Amino acid sequence: MLKTNDVAPQDYRNAMAHFAGAVHVITTDGAAGRRGVTVIAACSVSDNPPTVLACLNRQNPSNDLFLNNGVFALNTLAAGQEELANAFSGLTGLSQDERFGLAEWDTISTGAPTLPGALAVFDCQLIDAKELATHRIYFGKVTGLRIGANLKPLLYHDRGYRIL
Ligand SMILES: Cc1cc2nc3c(=O)[nH]c(=O)nc-3n(C[C@H](O)[C@H](O)[C@H](O)COP(=O)(O)O)c2cc1C
């Protein structure tokens, strides 16, 4: 079926389910408070200066913490970290403190919580934010990095977690 206009949100979601995406827990901490959220809507923007973006639902006021703290860390999950992905997506009904309690966290450069066992960590200063439709796009300048050794990526495809 080819539609050229009036694409329904459910049809769009069904098509997007064919994307295989990396799974991240995006975190922040600071004066506004600590928060982590499972996201797949995140990607690279540029390598010079190193810049990433992440899209967070702005209809959830708790996500304003990312804006108000002005820092975030993109923790790209590895195989075996599905429990964190589920917890930080709100699926298990845990509080934010309980979600963070499931793993050890440290910090690199911004104070945002970073996950030692992650596939990769991009610690970022928020440099811009743009509201678009239901979401706010956060642009971060990467000010700290960590690369995990010998880990397999956790992917999300066809509405489930997969290991590459
Ligand atoms: C696989 C997966 C990917 C997700 N990707 C995003 C995303 O890119 N952006 C977003 O705003 N929410 C995304 N979510 C939903 C958020 O994780 C969820 O709404 C949020 O953690 C709820 O937080 P709360 O329970 O503290 O309100 C995703 C959820 C799952 C399961």
Side-chain angles (χ1 to χ4, degrees), residues 21-25 38-40 77-91 153-164:
V23 183
H24 320 267
V25 174
T38 298
V39 297
I40 51 171
L77 298 186
Q81 294 179 319
E82 295 95 328
E83 185 188 21
L84 287 177
N86 281 327
F88 281 99
S89 66
L91 199 72
L154 180 66
L155 299 182
Y156 194 72
H157 176 251
D158 196 18
R159 301 185 169 99
Y161 295 107
R162 322 278 171 205
I163 293 164
L164 184 64

Side-chain angles (χ1 to χ4, degrees), residues 35 37-41 55-57 60 88-90 96 99 156:
R35 178 166 173 77
V37 177
T38 298
V39 297
I40 51 171
C55 304
L56 286 170
N57 193 330
N60 183 346
F88 281 99
S89 66
Q96 281 288 327
R99 296 175 200 186
Y156 194 72

Side-chain angles (χ1 to χ4, degrees), residues 2-161:
L2 177 65
K3 289 187 175 178
T4 55
N5 56 18
D6 294 333
V7 170
Q10 187 58 51
D11 291 335
Y12 171 82
R13 285 199 291 273
N14 291 344
M16 287 302 296
H18 291 271
F19 265 42
V23 183
H24 320 267
V25 174
I26 187 171
T27 59
T28 187
D29 203 357
R34 184 173 67 161
R35 178 166 173 77
V37 177
T38 298
V39 297
I40 51 171
C43 67
S44 171
V45 175
S46 171
D47 69 350
N48 189 16
T51 308
V52 296
L53 70 76
C55 304
L56 286 170
N57 193 330
R58 66 189 173 96
Q59 293 172 322
N60 183 346
S62 297
N63 285 337
D64 290 351
L65 268 63
F66 291 91
L67 193 64
N68 296 333
N69 285 333
V71 296
F72 67 84
L74 204 56
N75 296 276
T76 306
L77 298 186
Q81 294 179 319
E82 295 95 328
E83 185 188 21
L84 287 177
N86 281 327
F88 281 99
S89 66
L91 199 72
T92 53
L94 299 176
S95 68
Q96 281 288 327
D97 280 348
E98 289 168 332
R99 296 175 200 186
F100 278 102
L102 294 174
E104 296 290 324
W105 301 84
D106 57 8
T107 56
I108 297 176
S109 60
T110 68
T114 48
L115 189 59
L119 190 68
V121 177
F122 303 88
D123 196 21
C124 299
Q125 289 284 344
L126 181 67
I127 52 166
D128 205 354
K130 181 174 175 57
E131 295 190 358
L132 198 69
T134 52
H135 281 53
R136 183 182 291 122
I137 309 166
Y138 293 79
F139 296 91
K141 179 183 175 189
V142 180
T143 57
L145 267 187
R146 186 163 55 215
I147 303 171
N150 300 318
L151 297 171
K152 292 185 177 178
L154 180 66
L155 299 182
Y156 194 72
H157 176 251
D158 196 18
R159 301 185 169 99
Y161 295 107

